[in-house]
Amino acid sequence: MKGLYFQQSSTNGEITFVFQEKENLPITEDNFVKLQVKACALSQINTKLLAEMKMEKDFFPVGREVAGIVLDVGTKVSFFQPDDEVVGILPLDSEDPGLCEVIRVHEHYLVHKPEKVTWTEAAGAIRDGVRAYTALHYLSHLSPGKSVLIMDGASAFGTIAIQLAHHRGAKVISTAYSLEDKQCLERLRSYIARVIDVSNGKVDVAESCLEETGGLGVDIVLDAGVRLYSKDDEPAVKLQLLPHKHDIITLLGVGGHWITTEESLQLDPPDSHCLFLKGATVAFLNDEIWNLSNVQQGKYL
């Protein structure tokens, strides 16, 4: 039985992928589940985080979002039984790659797959689904009647967040970074109150949001990255389309929540003072926080 692993060169950082023969899985015991993989999604490998966590090794397993059928369960497993259809995300310190026929995984990293969801859909949506639910439910406490700005709504994360926010009764505003993105969001028009096209760099996101909310500002912002400096200092075209941090603070309403994916966010004293006056909060969306084992969380925190 083979599994896919990646190896990073210690000299130039180049990544190569290799198939390795895996030994037979140990007897399923305690809270572990033996899973026959039916679908596996490929997400970006965060080599920077692996280095920070001191988890670098010669070969690292590839593929962490998996969907499959339970073959066997340990004696302490309480949530699953053989033949259950499940989906989940393998932790960073998993020894088994998702790109393998059969893997061994702790039951706490799995949930039951809805019957009408295909294997591919389940594996492909689980990561961004968890991210969106974490941002809206745990970090911003979304409730009916709230206004939500979702940046880059045409992305995988954005489309799921839009649907979840609409399902909870929120008023959704979203941005589009290209004509194709705008067309994609137009097809979700029943979920979105307003689509802000920022592809030409001429539309003021803060002004558009304040106009849409009657000058009150939005209650929740989910960014897709922000500019920390002026456009002249950040020449990348993609970065120039992102809103400046001051724009986010301006369009945020009283008691609002800013959920950011910008891990290097820097707020100057005037920025903090403005957030203080609004009674607003800033939360960081780390999409790996739920996927670290208890041991690794202890090391990291």
Side-chain angles (χ1 to χ4, degrees), residues 266-284:
Q266 300 176 32
L267 295 178
D268 300 320
D271 300 330
S272 298
H273 184 65
C274 186
L275 290 169
F276 169 77
L277 293 177
K278 292 186 175 188
T281 62
V282 179
F284 292 87

Side-chain angles (χ1 to χ4, degrees), residues 38-58:
K38 289 292 187 179
C40 177
L42 291 178
S43 55
Q44 183 177 1
I45 299 170
N46 193 335
T47 54
K48 179 183 176 182
L49 179 60
L50 294 176
E52 291 177 354
M53 297 281 295
K54 303 189 186 319
M55 295 177 61
E56 297 168 300
K57 46 190 175 183
D58 292 337

Side-chain angles (χ1 to χ4, degrees), residues 180-190 192 195:
E180 292 77 11
D181 289 353
K182 183 179 180 181
Q183 292 172 342
C184 174
L185 292 175
E186 290 293 345
R187 292 194 289 270
L188 295 173
R189 196 62 184 179
S190 60
I192 307 173
V195 176

Side-chain angles (χ1 to χ4, degrees), residues 117-183:
V117 176
T118 67
W119 299 116
T120 304
E121 290 170 344
I126 184 68
R127 172 176 288 274
D128 286 311
V130 170
R131 291 182 67 215
Y133 188 81
T134 299
L136 295 173
H137 180 74
Y138 290 105
L139 299 181
S140 59
H141 310 291
L142 178 65
S143 59
K146 296 289 187 180
S147 56
V148 184
L149 170 62
I150 299 174
M151 311 297 293
D152 194 13
S155 65
F157 169 73
T159 53
I160 293 177
I162 287 171
Q163 295 173 72
L164 284 176
H166 178 267
H167 178 71
R168 293 293 295 273
K171 177 180 182 180
V172 181
I173 305 170
S174 187
T175 60
Y177 288 157
S178 66
L179 177 60
E180 292 77 11
D181 289 353
K182 183 179 180 181
Q183 292 172 342

Side-chain angles (χ1 to χ4, degrees), residues 216-273:
L216 297 176
V218 299
D219 299 304
I220 299 168
V221 177
L222 271 62
D223 73 32
V226 294
R227 285 189 294 110
L228 303 179
Y229 312 103
S230 66
K231 290 186 177 182
D232 295 335
D233 296 327
E234 295 181 293
V237 175
K238 181 71 173 180
L239 282 176
Q240 291 187 12
L241 296 179
L242 296 177
H244 194 279
K245 60 182 179 180
H246 295 153
D247 296 330
I248 299 293
I249 295 172
T250 299
L251 63 84
L252 199 61
V254 173
H257 302 280
W258 175 10
I259 314 302
T260 182
T261 58
E262 180 56 63
E263 63 180 49
S264 300
L265 179 67
Q266 300 176 32
L267 295 178
D268 300 320
D271 300 330
S272 298
H273 184 65

